[in-house]
Amino acid sequence: MGRLGVLLLNLGGPDKLEDVRPFLYNLFADPEIIRLPSPLLQAPLAWLISTLRAKKSQENYKKIGGGSPIRRITEAQGQALRSQLQQNGHEAHVYLGMRYWHPFTEEAIAQIKRDQIEELVILPLYPQFSISTTGSSFRLLDRIWKNDPDLQKIKYTVVPSWYDNSGYLQAMANLIATKLDQVKNPSEAYIFFSAHGVPVSYIEEAGDPYQKEIENCAALIMQKLNRSNPYKLAYQSRVGPVEWLQPYTDVAIKELAQQGVKELVVVPISFVSEHIETLEEIDMEYREIAEHAGIETFARVPAPDTDPTFIQALANVVMKALSDRPIAFAETIQPQKNTKLYPQERWEWGMTQSAEVWNGRLAMLGFLILLLELWLGRGQIFQ
Ligand SMILES: C=CC1=C(C)c2cc3[nH]c(cc4nc(cc5[nH]c(cc1n2)c(C)c5CCC(=O)O)C(CCC(=O)O)=C4C)c(C)c3C=C
Ligand SMILES: [Fe+2]
């Protein structure tokens, strides 16, 4: 085996408050997050949304210490993975490639080239595949690869998703069991999985397998846990004026409270590290909603971070990828160029070609104004 590298992919997050706006700009400039009918609109819209959202988002980052812990934790996971692989007989360099903030994927690739890596496993730190996360990183890497003959010499493989890995399921089950055993009625508490949502159009128009993988993952974790507690899966963190996967976490919490549920054990399911959506959104916003609705216990299961069972699971995923047939970027799910990732029916009217052009332009203008109004009018994006 040649010089081995493992490239861990993640979303990234602002290290400090000044980073929030440019981080949001990078996120919304990604056509895998919001795709508009004209690519020319992407940058102005990203600028608009990031500028409008920055203040609220900064307030949230302030509440968790002024920045995202995602880089620190992902670096710790990388180091722990390197030692675990070493113990399992594999000397590997581990790199971090974040999609929207430092260390950017491009920085990791430059280092991989400097280190003259010959064999590379590309492992997203998202257990389930979504076009908006893993898919976006793979598409970026695919573009980088196509333009770089040196990279094309590397024997690489990608791991599209690994939510069904037995060690990962065990790590999640252990973390849940520990938390369950701390509540008043461990056998009755409701296990509440909260996954990051995506717009419904990702699933229905673009064929994103995310919802299926999340549902399967929750069911497999429950099997591993092997307890008879009731459970529910809901989706958090919706952004903007389109329909996202349902049930929404806040609505589901209120419904359970109305049904008389008193104890919730909340499991963040699509994240493997603590970050703003666990530390602020779940721990603060949803806790408040739950307590207000009459839930007496709101216990949150920690993200796996550097949990040893979880790190061993990551090492197993890497070793399996090395022994399996290599998977290329092109083999993974990619939305077609014209896929609607955002509802576009609004500008599909008009009788003649030129009328259609003008209708389209007016509709786009209207759409921008509508977005602006919705973003400003609602005052907060996570509803
Ligand atoms: C599986 C994980 C994730 C999916 C799917 C996902 C889709 C998705 N996200 C946004 C918009 C935002 N996400 C933001 C932060 C954020 N998102 C994820 C993970 C997934 N996103 C993580 C790990 C983080 C946190 C990074 C950190 O700073 O700790 C944010 C910024 C937060 C904020 O402004 O409050 C936005 C915005 C969309 C639109 C989307 C799918 C289309
Ligand atoms: Fe997100």
Side-chain angles (χ1 to χ4, degrees), residues 11 27 33 132-133 196-197 237 239 244 271 275 277 382:
L11 189 120
L27 190 140
I33 289 283
S132 61
T133 52
H196 196 304
S237 319
V239 182
W244 284 56
F271 319 113
H275 62 282
E277 285 153 359
F382 290 136

Side-chain angles (χ1 to χ4, degrees), residues 35-328:
R35 182 170 308 180
L36 294 174
S38 161
L40 290 176
L41 286 173
Q42 195 82 36
L45 188 73
W47 178 85
L48 186 70
I49 302 176
S50 56
T51 306
L52 295 173
R53 191 181 167 84
K55 194 164 170 279
K56 174 85 181 86
S57 187
Q58 275 176 340
E59 278 165 21
N60 291 339
Y61 280 104
K62 235 186 246 170
K63 290 189 217 155
I64 63 161
S68 172
I70 203 167
R71 178 178 187 161
R72 177 179 47 78
I73 298 170
T74 315
E75 278 170 354
Q77 288 172 324
Q79 278 173 18
L81 174 61
R82 197 180 61 82
S83 329
Q84 189 58 59
L85 284 169
Q86 199 171 39
Q87 281 175 40
N88 296 358
H90 293 272
E91 278 306 328
H93 296 248
V94 178
Y95 305 89
L96 303 190
M98 300 294 197
R99 185 65 183 89
Y100 305 117
W101 203 247
H102 299 280
F104 285 111
T105 308
E106 292 84 345
E107 298 169 37
I109 294 297
Q111 190 58 47
I112 286 170
K113 283 173 67 177
R114 282 196 291 275
D115 291 345
Q116 299 182 326
I117 292 300
E118 293 162 287
E119 196 166 352
L120 184 66
V121 176
I122 301 175
L123 175 61
L125 286 177
Y126 308 104
Q128 310 84 10
F129 183 97
S130 168
I131 289 165
S132 61
T133 52
T134 299
S136 168
S137 285
F138 284 179
R139 300 247 294 173
L140 171 66
L141 285 168
D142 195 18
R143 284 196 295 276
I144 299 175
W145 238 256
K146 282 190 175 129
N147 290 318
D148 192 331
D150 287 342
L151 287 175
Q152 290 162 20
K153 291 182 201 140
I154 299 177
K155 183 181 168 215
Y156 80 87
T157 185
V158 301
V159 183
S161 70
W162 43 272
Y163 69 89
D164 52 355
N165 172 275
S166 170
Y168 161 69
L169 297 170
Q170 190 61 59
M172 292 300 289
N174 294 348
L175 291 166
I176 297 171
T178 306
K179 194 50 83 179
L180 263 182
D181 291 338
Q182 292 165 0
V183 304
K184 259 191 250 148
N185 300 296
S187 58
E188 280 158 40
Y190 229 95
I191 300 178
F192 189 100
F193 291 96
S194 188
H196 196 304
V198 293
V200 168
S201 59
Y202 279 61
I203 313 296
E204 291 180 357
E205 308 276 352
D208 197 332
Y210 181 72
Q211 185 180 17
K212 271 265 140 328
E213 295 199 2
I214 287 281
E215 286 171 1
N216 291 343
C217 183
L220 288 170
I221 293 172
M222 287 305 295
Q223 262 177 38
K224 262 292 184 230
L225 181 65
N226 198 22
R227 301 216 189 169
S228 54
N229 298 65
Y231 83 96
K232 179 148 193 92
L233 166 64
Y235 296 90
Q236 64 176 87
S237 319
R238 62 190 189 274
V239 182
V242 296
E243 191 194 350
W244 284 56
L245 289 180
Q246 296 203 33
Y248 297 141
T249 293
D250 48 350
V251 177
I253 290 174
K254 286 182 210 156
E255 277 172 7
L256 289 178
Q258 265 171 12
Q259 289 162 24
V261 172
K262 292 288 172 216
E263 292 201 295
L264 283 190
V265 170
V266 182
V267 188
I269 191 184
S270 41
F271 319 113
V272 296
S273 54
E274 298 296 345
H275 62 282
I276 187 137
E277 285 153 359
T278 54
L279 300 171
E280 196 279 329
E281 197 178 356
I282 298 182
D283 288 355
M284 299 180 190
E285 295 186 35
Y286 295 139
R287 177 184 303 279
E288 197 183 320
I289 288 173
E291 285 171 0
H292 196 252
I295 301 278
E296 288 165 7
T297 306
F298 186 90
R300 210 257 296 166
V301 172
D305 284 0
T306 51
D307 172 83
T309 311
F310 171 61
I311 297 297
Q312 176 63 67
L314 285 185
N316 288 344
V317 172
V318 171
M319 291 186 296
K320 183 170 182 305
L322 286 170
S323 60
D324 283 356
R325 176 187 74 80
I327 303 176

Side-chain angles (χ1 to χ4, degrees), residues 7-25:
L7 172 59
L8 298 178
L9 303 174
N10 210 337
L11 189 120
D15 298 311
K16 47 190 186 313
L17 295 181
E18 303 88 270
D19 300 338
V20 169
R21 205 201 57 76
F23 159 75
L24 290 175
Y25 175 87

